[in-house]
Amino acid sequence: CVPTDYVYYYEETYCKFASCIISERNYWDCECEAYRNYCNLYYMYAESQAACEVADCCDNTQEGDDRASCIPITFAPTATPDSDSSMTSMPTDRPSVSPLRNNSYSVRAVIC
């Protein structure tokens, strides 16, 4: 669940990335599309410049594993969690929602 104001963002970025991955397309092609989606969604903001540069690199690189060179190393997938990762608690099958102002709730589930 995400705050209602963020639903569009998740639908246009993470959901499209997840859909690409589960369709068994090349990981790097999916990653590049995610950068293009973010760039297109937020092109008017200075913060999107880095994402647009990655997307432009991808557009100028042949599809497939060659596109890995466009993705910043900090976002590259790893085979296992890094050495700093630790699970603080077990996941639950009952998500919790914190109340917003006036003890009201304004969240929606994002279903990709």
Side-chain angles (χ1 to χ4, degrees), residues 40-74:
N40 290 344
L41 192 59
Y42 294 107
Y43 68 92
M44 71 287 262
Y45 297 102
E47 292 84 3
S48 71
Q49 182 177 357
C52 293
E53 289 172 4
V54 171
D56 291 344
C57 175
C58 289
D59 290 346
N60 294 314
T61 305
Q62 194 170 29
E63 287 188 359
D65 291 342
D66 290 345
R67 289 182 162 185
S69 63
C70 295
I71 309 300
I73 193 70
T74 55

Side-chain angles (χ1 to χ4, degrees), residues 18-102:
S19 179
C20 184
I21 292 294
I22 63 172
S23 68
E24 298 183 8
R25 293 188 45 219
N26 179 281
Y27 175 84
W28 299 111
D29 292 340
C30 293
E31 188 79 31
C32 285
E33 286 179 19
Y35 276 94
R36 177 55 64 204
N37 290 336
Y38 185 90
C39 175
N40 290 344
L41 192 59
Y42 294 107
Y43 68 92
M44 71 287 262
Y45 297 102
E47 292 84 3
S48 71
Q49 182 177 357
C52 293
E53 289 172 4
V54 171
D56 291 344
C57 175
C58 289
D59 290 346
N60 294 314
T61 305
Q62 194 170 29
E63 287 188 359
D65 291 342
D66 290 345
R67 289 182 162 185
S69 63
C70 295
I71 309 300
I73 193 70
T74 55
F75 297 114
T78 59
T80 60
D82 63 28
S83 60
D84 295 332
S85 297
S86 64
M87 188 171 4
T88 56
S89 63
M90 292 301 294
T92 178
D93 62 351
R94 293 182 181 89
S96 61
V97 179
S98 300
L100 299 173
R101 284 180 242 149
N102 301 327

